[in-house]
Amino acid sequence: MAVHVPVSNDRHRAGSVQMKVWLSADLKNNFASVCATQGVSASAVLRGLVAAYVARSSSRQHG
């Protein structure tokens, strides 16, 4: 599955908030390693995943 990774400076925008999630150390480290290998930030990937999930969920509710 291809994931679009938006480039963003959300933390510098008014109204931006931080979300904390708990992961196993192995999952976090593997995720960070994959992101680094692909040259993207983990935060950008997570923002893209959350946005895609919301969009997919919204289209299912409205369609």
Side-chain angles (χ1 to χ4, degrees), residues 7-54:
V7 176
S8 174
N9 291 317
D10 287 340
R11 66 183 171 170
H12 300 292
R13 292 184 187 169
S16 291
V17 296
Q18 183 179 39
M19 183 187 309
K20 183 182 277 191
V21 298
W22 291 96
L23 305 169
S24 70
D26 285 344
L27 179 58
K28 185 263 184 192
N29 292 333
N30 289 336
F31 179 68
S33 178
V34 169
C35 291
T37 298
Q38 295 179 353
V40 295
S41 74
S43 294
V45 173
L46 290 171
R47 283 191 295 272
L49 291 170
V50 170
Y53 182 80
V54 169

